[in-house]
Amino acid sequence: MMTLTSDDLIQIRRNFHQIPELALHEVQTHAYIKEIVSSFSQEFLELKEIPELPTALLVHVKGSDPSRTIGYRADIDALPVTENNDLSYVSKNSGVMHACGHDIHMTVALGILNYYSIHQPKDNLVFFFQPAEESESGGRKAYDLGAFTGIYHIDEFYGLHDNADLPTGVIGCRIGTLFAGTTEVNVIIHGKSGHAAYPHEANDAIVIAANFISQIQTIISRNIDPTKCGVITFGKLEAGSIRNVISGTARVEGTIRGLTQDMIEFIRQRIIEVTKGLEISFNAKIDVEYNQGGYFPVENNTELTTRFINYMKKSDAKYKDVAPAMTGEDFGYLLNKIPGTMFWLGVDSPGSLHSSDFLPHEKAIDDGIKAFTGFLNYRMNSEEN
């Protein structure tokens, strides 16, 4: 029977930090998770693989007198970021880093799982170590493969995300939308190339792209209620080959974010309508492509989240009500299908999420484990439930 100490957990997190892997390639990470879980008491545990999603792992904890199955998700992939931290445990995989703190997420989940491998829970628990959160929609893939609706039918789902701006160990949450939904958009503009000295004989794709970007931003400033939230950001523009040739094509890549799925759908439709007008104005062809599905907003279930927040406020956890954020999260798809709650865990990092100098405070690991095991014990055993 293995009980993880605080030092053990910190070392586990540092080991994860050294082997970051991109979406659907989390082979080392998956193997290390299995190694750790296999060292726990197996009396109540059952591990399940998903052959069609080979880096995913489900761990079922058998309850003593179950009336429900509670799911907990931890994402395991990393980002294509080159780390800029002077650490003894810096990333060993060039150009890849746990810049979003998924090493913290996995470690907290393993700490909670370790507790329940020793203290049998009343209800069934399922821990989902999810690949491909940053891209490739790993949560959606697992759901569509029936991972949570068959033998391990999950009644309610929980998960955390670390927060660089909250003090270490603070739990942040809110009823309703916590994170925005996102959709990626790619735009290809087809004009006509030509000599820089004869613009009248060409159709400048760069000029069209500039007008496209400017006009699309009016969707936010002039089509959306100022009290509601939507964001369109074009972060990449490719066009041209040399200064004295008018470019005949341009490619623009961006992201749409909104606090409701209706907002995202409205923005998508307006982009199509504005594009049609620009095609007529510039006598050009413009192709707009959206990624399939996108990420749904993370919308916390009212009843479950009210219970979660009330517990945190009454417990000795450090709790803070938070505003919605425009960050996106794959967990939104699961919460669209299964009621549940996502919450923040403060890690007080000097660098922001997704930055090369992101450096979470490791004390948050113990704080997160203590807060959520306390909530689960309350959820499973309180007469109010």
Side-chain angles (χ1 to χ4, degrees):
M1 183 181 298
M2 177 183 180
T3 302
L4 295 175
T5 66
S6 296
D7 288 342
D8 292 333
L9 291 162
I10 287 173
Q11 188 58 55
I12 287 170
R13 180 259 160 174
R14 293 181 179 185
N15 291 342
F16 278 131
H17 191 80
Q18 293 180 80
I19 56 168
E21 296 167 292
L22 298 178
L24 301 179
H25 297 279
E26 310 93 337
V27 177
Q28 282 184 284
T29 304
H30 175 264
Y32 186 48
I33 294 168
K34 285 186 67 176
E35 177 186 333
I36 295 169
V37 175
S38 297
S39 72
F40 297 168
S41 169
Q42 302 296 301
E43 183 178 358
F44 317 129
L45 304 188
E46 180 183 27
L47 277 66
K48 179 177 174 57
E49 308 271 7
I50 305 174
E52 301 89 344
L53 195 60
T55 53
L57 184 67
L58 295 168
V59 185
H60 180 264
V61 186
K62 182 180 179 181
S64 59
D65 184 24
S67 59
R68 63 181 71 86
T69 296
I70 299 173
Y72 186 85
R73 188 218 66 169
D75 35 7
I76 72 173
D77 58 328
L79 286 161
V81 173
T82 298
E83 184 163 12
N84 185 28
N85 285 317
D86 184 15
L87 304 169
S88 61
Y89 54 92
V90 70
S91 168
K92 294 180 179 179
N93 294 341
S94 178
V96 185
M97 176 190 173
H98 273 300
C100 200
H102 294 184
D103 48 351
I104 293 283
H105 299 184
M106 290 183 280
T107 307
V108 171
L110 287 168
I112 298 167
L113 174 57
N114 178 242
Y115 174 87
Y116 287 110
S117 72
I118 300 166
H119 308 89
Q120 186 177 20
K122 180 180 179 182
D123 286 322
N124 296 322
L125 304 178
V126 173
F127 289 79
F128 173 42
F129 292 93
Q130 179 201 314
E133 188 280 321
E134 296 292 353
S135 63
E136 304 293 340
S137 304
R140 176 194 288 266
K141 290 182 190 299
Y143 182 88
D144 291 346
L145 289 167
F148 316 119
T149 54
I151 187 172
Y152 291 163
H153 178 87
I154 291 179
D155 298 297
E156 53 194 68
F157 234 141
Y158 297 88
L160 67 78
H161 201 298
D162 51 0
N163 187 315
D165 298 322
L166 284 177
T168 300
V170 168
I171 303 296
C173 197
R174 72 186 309 272
I175 297 168
T177 302
L178 183 67
F179 295 165
T182 69
T183 293
E184 295 176 352
V185 56
N186 299 322
V187 179
I188 302 174
I189 297 167
H190 305 275
K192 182 182 178 182
S193 64
H195 196 292
Y198 306 106
H200 58 291
E201 295 178 359
N203 193 2
D204 195 332
I206 292 178
V207 171
I208 301 170
N211 278 269
F212 173 84
I213 292 170
S214 295
Q215 290 200 34
I216 292 302
Q217 292 303 326
T218 67
I219 296 173
I220 301 299
S221 65
R222 286 297 176 265
N223 294 155
I224 291 176
D225 184 337
T227 65
K228 298 180 180 178
C229 292
V231 172
I232 307 172
T233 296
F234 292 105
K236 185 175 182 180
L237 170 61
E238 293 180 337
S241 58
I242 192 170
R243 71 181 71 241
N244 61 349
V245 174
I246 292 171
S247 178
T249 61
R251 179 182 175 89
V252 184
E253 298 179 8
T255 180
I256 301 165
R257 295 169 186 256
L259 294 182
T260 66
Q261 195 62 25
D262 287 345
M263 174 65 73
I264 292 172
E265 294 302 326
F266 172 77
I267 293 173
R268 285 167 58 119
Q269 182 58 34
R270 283 295 293 139
I271 287 176
I272 295 297
E273 292 166 356
V274 171
T275 297
K276 289 179 179 178
L278 287 167
E279 285 182 316
I280 295 170
S281 297
F282 287 95
N283 191 27
K285 185 175 185 298
I286 304 175
D287 298 324
V288 178
E289 300 174 350
Y290 296 110
N291 68 324
Q292 290 188 349
Y295 280 9
F296 282 47
V298 174
E299 296 189 58
N300 285 336
N301 176 270
T302 299
E303 179 183 351
L304 298 179
T305 307
T306 298
R307 182 185 290 114
F308 176 84
I309 291 172
N310 287 343
Y311 168 79
M312 291 297 166
K313 288 181 175 179
K314 293 175 183 177
S315 73
D316 60 358
K318 295 170 284 187
Y319 176 78
K320 181 179 181 180
D321 289 320
V322 295
M326 296 308 289
T327 47
E329 236 290 351
D330 190 28
F331 197 54
Y333 185 81
L334 297 179
L335 292 189
N336 182 261
K337 302 295 183 180
I338 303 168
T341 299
M342 174 160 263
F343 57 96
W344 288 113
L345 172 64
V347 294
D348 194 24
S349 167
S352 65
L353 291 170
H354 289 211
S355 70
S356 62
D357 59 346
F358 178 66
L359 188 61
H361 196 309
E362 292 173 321
K363 183 183 179 300
I365 296 169
D366 276 341
D367 293 332
I369 294 167
K370 181 180 178 182
F372 197 71
T373 52
F375 167 72
L376 280 180
N377 288 336
Y378 165 76
R379 174 73 180 112
M380 293 186 288
N381 298 303
S382 172
E383 292 182 0
E384 297 178 20
N385 298 310

